[in-house]
Amino acid sequence: MDFAGNTANSKKSGRSTRNKKQFNRVGHNLQFYKIPPTGEISLQEFEEYAIDRLKVLKAVEVAGIRLMKGSNEYTQKLQDELKKTSLGHDLIRIDKKEDKDFRQKDLVSHFILRLAYCRSEELRRWFMQQELELFRFRFLREGSDSRDEFLRENCLNYEPISDDLKTELDAELRAAAGNKSGVVDTIEYFKVPFTEVFDLVSKRKVYLEDGYAYVSRDDMISIVITHYRSHLSHSLAVTTRALPHLEEDGRLLPMLCGLSKRYLGQDFNAKKSNVGEITADMIEMLSKKSFPLCMQQLHQSLRQNHHLRHGGRQQYGLFLKGIGVSLEEAMRFWRTEFCKAMDVDKFDKQYSYNIRHNYGKEGKRTNYTPYSCMKIITTNPPGPGDFHGCPFKHMEVDMLAQKLRGQHISKDNVEKITKCVKTGHYQIACAQYFEATHNIRNPEDSASININHPNGYFLDSYKLLNGPKEGTKPVPNTPKVIKVKVEGTGTPSSQTNKQSDLNDMDDDDLIASMETDM
Ligand code: SF4
């Protein structure tokens, strides 16, 4: 791909897109990403760069989900999460002064995700949040010379106030700094318009006079972040307007649309099931102990109505496949339940194809993987008569609270869960549900629970209750008690993108989804 927007010309001239990374020079480890890259890159690299940066932003999100930003625990967690990703590992290294490849990858990957995340208000908000936090973290890790150099390069060279003025304002500056003796004497202060440091003003951490704020050198990050925020917000709006031109290139748009709901963890393919085979007879018992709420809801509805509509059959069927239910056992399970309300012939004619299809035995013979939380939350919301989806996202809050109380979850926990739901943190609500139903009280164990996949929830629960099955491979990176995959609440929870949803489906899926639901 040509970042200079000259794809058509390069195609006409027959130039190869490989080995032609002549990007613009990046002079500092940190960037405001003001100038788009102008080199060339292959489509494969385009996707690799995007995924690498997405992993970094997800790591930033995961660290900030349950820990207070700025605390030592948060800093440590963010550092650990970033080190798990190849790009993140490089981004937080400060000894890469002359590493041009790394800087270019930083630049290009940022611009690719800018394209992917400019499509809706919620996507933009998520992208900005993570990018700003990443920038803050990186800025604070730089040495003071490097920070000054960055400020100079970006025309943010504020003059410190004179010693006389500092002495005159001594009492006020001390009060704003929380009376930290000695600090005010040694630190430089800058006089800036108060509109540049809204966050310090809102936290009452700065002295204000005549529309100006007196900001200590330690708090300069607030000014830098304000500038970066305003630049990024404007740039995202500009990118959105340019997006329709990309539609001319049929290769990029589907890839960009898919990025925002891409799941980057384990795919929970049945072949990799870590708990051994699950038979049809075990499902009822497991549903009570180890299924996440979304799958409990589908299971109960199936038992009650002896039927599930297409969306529910897909979500639940693939989940069961992922926990280790074989095709034969799945067929036995669905047939037993459906045939309480219809004859075997009808089941075989109308429903068995779909089950075999999910196991890759029909149609294109694709080995389908279970849906991640992100996919369940962001696509295909349930309509009347449907039971699929995520209850934390799709159920009325009052109904949800009633359901939780019905499961004997304490009043405090119900309040905690519904509070998360109201603020749009559905996966955190699910993690709190996990804690409440598994009696987890240790804060260290709580912090390690991140729910990203219903099958991950099952696996964590199963292992917690039963211990890993002998002879099965443990999943890597298992924290102290719970094993988790990394993907945050991520993206904008209320987004529904039919087009992207269709992009995820192959022809057989589409045909299957058009089946008459009876
Ligand atoms: Fe299911 Fe994920 Fe929602 Fe939990 S957060 S109920 S696992 S979709």
Side-chain angles (χ1 to χ4, degrees), residues 409-429:
I409 290 175
S410 72
K411 196 171 163 233
D412 281 359
N413 280 329
V414 173
E415 269 170 26
K416 257 176 30 183
I417 293 169
T418 50
K419 197 172 158 199
C420 283
V421 168
K422 283 177 193 164
T423 49
H425 294 113
Y426 311 114
Q427 287 164 259
I428 302 177

Side-chain angles (χ1 to χ4, degrees), residues 292-295 315 372-374 376-377 389-393 426-427 430-431 451-455 457:
L293 204 54
C294 51
M295 300 305 166
Q315 183 175 319
S372 67
C373 293
M374 188 66 68
I376 294 172
I377 288 171
C390 168
F392 298 106
K393 155 78 179 162
Y426 311 114
Q427 287 164 259
C430 189
I451 305 296
N452 307 303
H453 202 296
N455 289 73
Y457 182 110

Side-chain angles (χ1 to χ4, degrees), residues 268-288:
F268 295 102
N269 185 323
K271 285 180 192 153
K272 298 175 199 157
S273 165
N274 306 66
V275 297
E277 192 181 344
I278 305 284
T279 64
D281 303 329
M282 294 159 74
I283 295 175
E284 175 71 21
M285 177 269 295
L286 287 173
S287 75
K288 294 195 172 88

Side-chain angles (χ1 to χ4, degrees), residues 190-195 197 201 206-209 211-215:
F190 301 85
K191 184 179 172 183
V192 300
F194 83 98
T195 48
V197 285
V201 175
V206 71
Y207 173 61
L208 292 174
E209 191 179 289
Y212 285 94
Y214 291 82
V215 183

